[in-house]
Amino acid sequence: MPELAEAEFYRKRWHQAAVGQRVTGALVHDRAKVFRGTDAAALRDALAGARMINSEAAAKQMLFRFSGGLWLGIHLGMSGELRVGPSDHVPHRHDHLVLQTRRGALIFTDPRMFGRVQFHQGAEPPTWWTRIAPSMLSPAFTPDAVAAFLQRRARAPIKAVMLMQERFPGIGNWMADEILWRATIHPRRPAGTLRPAEVRALWRECRRVCRLALATIAGRGNDLPPDLNVGIPNTWLFNHRWEAGGRCPKTGKPLARAEIGGRTTCWSPARQKYNQAKS
DNA sequence: GTGCTTGTTGGCCA
DNA sequence: GTGGCCAACAAGCA
């Protein structure tokens, strides 16, 4: 389960393990790049003794609130993961942050260190959290807002535009391809060339993919599987995009792959035509 | 060894 | 100033 839902998956994992629990100690790899711009030692000292109050996920990020006005933000980057281990967990090489509680240890691990840990003290949530664009499931995400954004990025391929977090918070490479495939829009189409009906289809599929992705997570209740990709139907492009000789689940025809907007992109040529249909 | 990989950022250029 | 492109970041995997 990609991106947006990934943050929700890992948020839930830590939340279930430790909400209401007191942090008895914190370990940090304070020279790790994931702490860029953050005082890791101050974070470690402040969190020791604090209690986890609640948490939320937005876009690809998570925010954990602790007693004493402490806010811990985590972005998973490309390879970050949140785990739960035994209370006496000994950090491995890539475990950059470990919060110990009586029930277990909360572990942030990230080999490539494109992820990020942020920290804030205060009564209000930090601006790096509140500045995240409104969810695609919120009323602020309207077809008009999408249309206006596409016009501003008119010459860029739609695939590249879909990755812009300021308008599509939480969409990553997999979700972008999934949405374009459902909306039957070729990923290389310049954003400004989409007709109104196509913009509306794009908007609708953004919301649908978000809802379905999150529902797959929420439907798991309190029993999270170790692999967050469990349970994605084979009717999604997602489960076919990397198969050798992969075929479109709708048309049965071969899928295509190419680099678009700097990212490997998968689409179904039989379904997503570059040349606009006659109107 | 080579060539990929779920993301973001800053620098360059038009 | 704005928009678009691309390399860089770092490590693991096939």
Side-chain angles (χ1 to χ4, degrees), chain A residues 20-203:
Chain A
Q21 293 290 302
R22 188 172 295 284
V23 175
T24 55
L27 309 171
V28 300
H29 272 172
D30 57 357
R31 302 227 308 277
K33 280 223 165 64
V34 294
F35 290 109
R36 56 195 180 277
T38 294
D39 186 339
L43 174 155
R44 177 195 60 210
D45 296 343
L47 280 178
R51 194 180 292 276
M52 188 193 288
I53 307 288
N54 57 28
S55 62
E56 56 185 309
K60 300 170 186 172
Q61 302 178 58
M62 294 153 284
L63 182 70
F64 296 90
R65 184 182 181 185
F66 290 85
S67 58
L70 306 180
W71 311 78
L72 176 69
I74 298 200
H75 192 304
L76 296 170
M78 293 273 262
S79 57
E81 219 178 291
L82 300 190
R83 295 185 182 149
V84 175
S87 298
D88 59 354
H89 174 79
V90 177
H92 301 159
R93 181 168 165 220
H94 301 304
D95 297 346
H96 307 300
L97 172 66
V98 177
L99 302 180
Q100 301 157 320
T101 78
R102 245 181 23 192
R103 284 215 308 239
L106 307 179
I107 304 153
F108 169 56
T109 187
D110 184 6
R112 294 177 70 184
M113 293 194 279
F114 290 0
R116 179 166 219 164
V117 177
Q118 287 174 288
F119 183 61
H120 172 73
Q121 304 192 42
E124 300 297 321
T127 53
W128 45 257
W129 183 260
T130 56
R131 269 203 302 255
I132 296 173
S135 161
M136 287 176 281
L137 296 178
S138 79
F141 186 76
T142 61
D144 283 351
V146 173
F149 189 74
L150 265 46
Q151 281 313 308
R152 190 145 69 82
R153 304 289 185 165
R155 292 181 323 190
I158 185 62
K159 166 63 185 280
V161 175
M162 297 293 298
L163 295 173
M164 295 178 181
Q165 302 297 298
E166 63 206 89
R167 179 43 70 196
F168 303 102
I171 288 188
N173 202 33
W174 295 349
M175 272 180 92
D177 287 355
E178 189 77 36
I179 290 163
L180 291 170
W181 174 74
R182 285 168 179 257
T184 68
I185 296 168
H186 193 290
R188 225 187 277 278
R189 291 266 303 279
T193 67
L194 268 61
R195 289 166 289 135
E198 292 176 315
V199 174
R200 191 163 185 94
L202 190 74
W203 167 83

Side-chain angles (χ1 to χ4, degrees), chain A residues 221-232:
Chain A
N222 292 335
D223 192 19
L224 293 176
D227 179 357
L228 87 170
N229 295 332
V230 167
I232 300 197

Side-chain angles (χ1 to χ4, degrees), chain A residues 10-24:
Chain A
Y10 288 117
R11 177 202 69 80
K12 206 167 176 181
R13 179 180 274 175
W14 266 24
H15 185 98
Q16 288 175 0
V19 68
Q21 293 290 302
R22 188 172 295 284
V23 175
T24 55

